[in-house]
Amino acid sequence: MSRSWLFILMGGMVEAVWAVFMKMSDGFTVPLYTALTIAFLFVSVILLNMGLKRGLPVGPAYAVWVGIGAVMSVVSGILLFGETISLLGFVFLAMVIGGIVGLNLVTDES
């Protein structure tokens, strides 16, 4: 995995962190979690930008960044908040993961 994709991967994981903090902020009414949401959102976008600056095309990079954040958010919701997902939901989650891996494999850096 190239350094560019590593930035996208890290940014996607940080995206899930800010999503968790946003839920914990209770509609931005808990100042600590609101501040953490904003801080991690900023870091996530900076990491996306670092991947883009190193030559990744915006479409695949953004799709992978969002996909990683989505998958990690679903997993975080299950582990941290007791949220549930159906068997069909797991199938669709696996499809998202397959798309993330596929885009990473077929995208050339410029």
Side-chain angles (χ1 to χ4, degrees), residues 1-10 64 68 104 109:
M1 174 179 288
S2 73
R3 176 175 255 185
S4 302
W5 281 114
L6 189 58
F7 285 124
I8 300 299
L9 173 67
M10 290 187 308
V64 169
I68 291 168
N104 190 327
E109 297 179 44

Side-chain angles (χ1 to χ4, degrees), residues 35-73:
L36 287 170
T37 299
I38 294 166
F40 279 89
L41 173 68
F42 182 75
V43 170
S44 179
V45 172
I46 291 297
L47 288 166
L48 171 63
N49 182 56
M50 290 172 73
L52 294 173
K53 280 178 31 176
R54 282 166 177 74
L56 291 176
V58 68
Y62 181 74
V64 169
W65 179 73
V66 170
I68 291 168
V71 169
M72 296 295 294
S73 295

Side-chain angles (χ1 to χ4, degrees), residues 83-103:
E83 297 172 357
T84 59
I85 186 171
S86 68
L87 180 59
L88 190 56
F90 276 113
V91 170
F92 289 123
L93 200 58
M95 290 172 66
V96 171
I97 293 168
I100 291 167
V101 171
L103 279 171

